[in-house]
């Protein structure tokens, strides 16, 4: 029996921390966890879950319109923001309770208090000090806040879920997935939306075709896209807010939302005092088994700034539990991690972008298809779907799958399994499609695109 109070003390009860705590306790470890804000972390409370509920809500405006093409007459309709927020809050409270019960049911001692690291084996929590053989930091991340004059008048993504009312006019600053998602949400709910980004094209790091395709589709949904601009200052006016852009244009809006990135939640945790090495952005540096420069202090999830996805944090939490308490050293395979952006229309991807595939494999075959979804042949809506397969030419292995369009996440999740199993283009070709469906397009694309001219792909990637 260890002479410490606990075998594992977890700081942060988000997805990764809860997973590590539960399974460590299941393996017989004495475990405690501390959470100062809410159980479930960012994803459950101010991230994936409430955002997806808002995405659903924002789609109904189009669904009502599309119904007419199918013979339905939809009467008077009205959206009530307080109702959505109240129902969202009720669901989040339910999930909070589930997370807490999962912990207590597993025998984990729960501290509803802030915890900080004192040294390699000591944590201060709720005004007292406890010791642990291992300390796991799973504190997640938070939005980067702007520094321009007047930025105190703006909000970040955390604040969206607690707004008293729906803004009639909103300016979204940023070009990442959070920015495009909220731009679509507010437009669907009826706000006048402008999204600005400092570069020539948003979603840096995504496949170039995906980025360009979404930039064509979002204005159809009512989002005014403005590239190569940033906010210079924000001022309060009698009519709301005035945002002055670097190009000199002034936008009159009711709300400014900054979605310009996220940063690790590592400040004021005592990590520096304990000798834990951090990156320049404050991420905890860890090895393949999630140990920091102080071996008894580990870290997982967004605070390590690897891949900021809930399923990744869950996998890391499981790996820590197995490594520490099940005599099963475990790492996470970060190759071909699928992801989705719930933009409108949504994006889903797994594997390499075309640009990365050419850099890694040299010659690749690219299969691409763009079409009107069957649903909109009767609705009359001007919305397209993009599908793209990237195949390394020498072995014909599928190394990238990308989609923009209805049900993208649901379709690409299945294809991610095929990619993980090493599927080739011949495997896709031998697969019978489900008809009529959009998904069948992925197994019926036969003709690759011509090779681009030298440097063309690289130039697109640099945009």
């Amino acid at each position: 029996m260890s002479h410490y109070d606990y075998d594992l003390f977890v700081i942060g009860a988000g997805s990764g921390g809860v997973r590590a705590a539960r399974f460590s306790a299941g393996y017989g470890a004495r475990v405690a966890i501390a959470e100062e804000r809410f159980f479930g972390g960012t994803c459950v409370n101010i991230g994936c879950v409430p955002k997806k509920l808002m995405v659903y809500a924002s789609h109904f405006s189009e669904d009502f319109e599309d119904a007419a093409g199918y013979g339905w007459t939809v009467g008077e309709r009205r959206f009530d923001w307080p109702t959505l927020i109240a129902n969202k809050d009720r669901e989040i409270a339910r999930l909070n309770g589930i997370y807490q019960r999962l912990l207590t049911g597993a025998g984990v001692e729960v501290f509803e208090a802030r915890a900080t690291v004192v040294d390699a084996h000591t944590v201060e929590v709720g005004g007292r000090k406890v010791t642990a053989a291992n300390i796991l930091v799973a504190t997640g991340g938070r939005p980067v806040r702007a520094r321009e004059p007047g930025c105190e008048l703006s909000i970040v993504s955390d604040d969206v879920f607690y707004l008293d009312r729906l803004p009639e006019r909103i300016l979204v600053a940023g070009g990442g997935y959070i920015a495009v998602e909220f731009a679509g949400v507010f437009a669907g709910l009826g706000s006048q939306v402008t999204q600005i980004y400092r570069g020539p094209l948003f979603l840096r790091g995504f496949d170039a075709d995906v980025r360009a395709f979404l930039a064509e589709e979002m204005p159809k949904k009512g989002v005014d896209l403005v590239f190569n601009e940033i906010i210079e200052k924000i001022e309060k006016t009698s009519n709301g807010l005035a945002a002055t852009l670097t190009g000199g244009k002034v936008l009159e809006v009711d709300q400014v939302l900054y979605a310009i990135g996220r940063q690790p939640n590592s400040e004021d945790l005592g990590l520096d005092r304990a000798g834990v090495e951090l990156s320049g952005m404050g991420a905890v540096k860890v090895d393949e088994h999630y140990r920091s420069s102080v071996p008894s202090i580990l870290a997982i999830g967004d605070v390590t700034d690897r891949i900021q996805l809930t399923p990744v944090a869950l996998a890391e939490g499981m790996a820590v539990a197995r490594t520490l308490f099940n005599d099963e050293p475990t790492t996470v395979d970060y190759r071909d991690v699928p992801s989705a952006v719930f933009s409108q229309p949504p994006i889903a991807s797994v594997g390499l972008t075309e640009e990365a595939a050419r850099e890694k494999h040299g010659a690749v075959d690219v299969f691409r298809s763009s079409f009107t979804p069957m649903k909109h042949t009767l609705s009359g809506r001007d919305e397209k779907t993009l599908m793209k397969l990237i195949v390394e030419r020498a072995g014909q292995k599928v190394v990238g799958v990308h989609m923009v369009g209805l049900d993208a996440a649901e379709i690409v999740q299945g294809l991610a399994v095929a990619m993980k199993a090493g599927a080739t283009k011949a495997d896709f070709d031998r697969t019978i499609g489900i008809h009529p469906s959009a998904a069948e397009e992925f197994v019926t694309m036969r003709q690759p695109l011509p090779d681009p001219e030298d440097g063309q792909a690289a130039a697109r990637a640099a945009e």
Side-chain angles (χ1 to χ4, degrees), residues 371-391:
F371 55 90
T372 299
M374 186 176 181
K375 174 184 178 181
H376 295 315
T377 58
L378 294 189
S379 75
R381 183 170 299 281
D382 181 15
E383 179 176 320
K384 301 289 185 182
T385 288
L386 172 72
M387 292 181 172
K388 185 173 182 179
L389 283 177
I390 302 161
V391 181

Side-chain angles (χ1 to χ4, degrees), residues 84-428:
L84 172 62
I85 297 303
N87 290 342
K88 179 269 297 181
D89 288 345
R90 185 171 62 250
E91 172 60 10
I92 300 310
R94 184 184 73 85
L95 293 175
N96 287 160
I98 289 174
Y99 269 78
Q100 190 164 11
R101 288 191 296 274
L102 286 172
L103 290 165
T104 56
V108 176
E109 185 173 354
V110 176
F111 291 86
E112 295 189 53
R114 178 171 177 78
T116 57
V117 176
V118 176
D119 58 37
H121 294 284
T122 308
V123 172
E124 184 171 343
V125 58
R128 68 186 180 99
K129 292 180 180 179
V130 298
T131 60
N134 299 280
I135 299 168
L136 176 63
V137 179
T139 48
R142 66 184 186 278
V144 172
R145 292 190 178 267
R147 297 180 178 179
E148 289 82 11
C151 63
E152 70 279 0
L153 301 170
S154 68
I155 62 173
V156 293
S157 58
D158 289 5
D159 306 317
V160 169
F161 305 107
Y162 305 104
L163 289 176
D164 293 330
R165 62 183 181 86
L166 176 71
E168 292 184 14
R169 306 162 299 172
I170 185 167
L171 171 61
V172 179
Y177 71 96
I178 295 174
V180 299
E181 287 174 337
F182 277 120
V185 164
F186 281 112
L189 295 178
S191 300
Q192 178 183 323
V193 181
T194 301
Q195 181 182 350
I196 66 169
Y197 176 57
R198 59 185 174 84
L201 191 61
F202 53 21
L203 292 176
R204 190 164 173 261
F206 285 76
D207 187 88
D209 283 331
V210 167
R211 300 167 67 196
F213 190 86
L214 188 67
E216 293 176 358
E217 293 297 306
M218 284 182 64
K220 300 176 185 177
K221 308 283 188 178
V223 178
D224 182 19
L225 296 175
V226 178
F227 295 125
N228 297 307
E229 283 275 20
I230 61 173
I231 298 172
E232 192 172 79
K233 63 179 179 179
I234 304 171
E235 298 172 294
K236 192 168 182 59
T237 70
S238 58
N239 195 34
L241 300 174
T244 302
L245 308 186
T246 48
K249 186 175 182 180
V250 178
L251 298 178
E252 288 277 352
V253 296
D254 302 297
Q255 194 66 260
V256 176
L257 167 63
Y258 276 100
I260 54 176
R262 294 181 64 81
Q263 63 189 62
N265 257 335
S266 61
E267 290 182 2
D268 302 323
L269 287 179
L271 296 175
D272 52 346
R273 177 176 57 202
V276 174
E277 187 178 356
L278 306 177
S279 73
M281 282 291 292
V284 180
K285 293 184 177 182
V286 295
D287 64 13
E288 67 273 18
H289 292 297
Y290 309 101
R291 294 189 184 276
S292 73
S293 56
V294 179
S296 60
I297 300 177
L298 302 89
I300 59 172
D302 290 2
V303 76
T304 66
D305 197 22
R306 282 185 168 177
I307 299 179
Q308 297 182 19
L309 295 172
T310 294
V312 171
L314 290 169
E316 292 173 346
M318 191 73 245
V320 165
R322 287 173 174 162
T323 299
L324 292 180
F325 304 112
N326 200 43
D327 195 24
E328 186 184 353
T330 304
T331 60
V332 175
D333 183 0
Y334 295 100
R335 294 173 301 169
D336 299 335
V337 173
S339 65
V341 179
F342 294 102
S343 50
Q344 301 190 33
I347 297 169
S349 298
V350 60
L352 301 175
T353 65
E354 179 183 344
E355 300 76 30
R358 291 188 185 281
E359 182 176 342
K360 181 176 181 179
H361 297 289
V364 298
D365 292 328
V366 176
F367 300 81
R368 187 176 64 213
S369 177
S370 177
F371 55 90
T372 299
M374 186 176 181
K375 174 184 178 181
H376 295 315
T377 58
L378 294 189
S379 75
R381 183 170 299 281
D382 181 15
E383 179 176 320
K384 301 289 185 182
T385 288
L386 172 72
M387 292 181 172
K388 185 173 182 179
L389 283 177
I390 302 161
V391 181
E392 56 94 7
R393 189 169 294 167
Q396 285 295 290
K397 183 178 178 181
V398 177
V399 296
V401 176
H402 306 274
M403 178 176 174
V404 184
L406 295 173
D407 300 319
E410 311 299 335
I411 293 170
V412 171
Q413 176 67 82
L415 297 180
V417 176
M419 271 192 59
K420 205 68 173 175
T424 65
K425 183 61 169 64
D427 293 322
F428 274 63

Side-chain angles (χ1 to χ4, degrees), residues 427-449:
D427 293 322
F428 274 63
D429 293 344
R430 282 194 297 267
T431 302
I432 303 298
I434 298 174
H435 184 76
S437 71
E440 68 179 316
E441 190 75 10
F442 274 119
V443 298
T444 58
M445 290 189 282
R446 296 289 186 266
Q447 190 64 41
L449 299 175

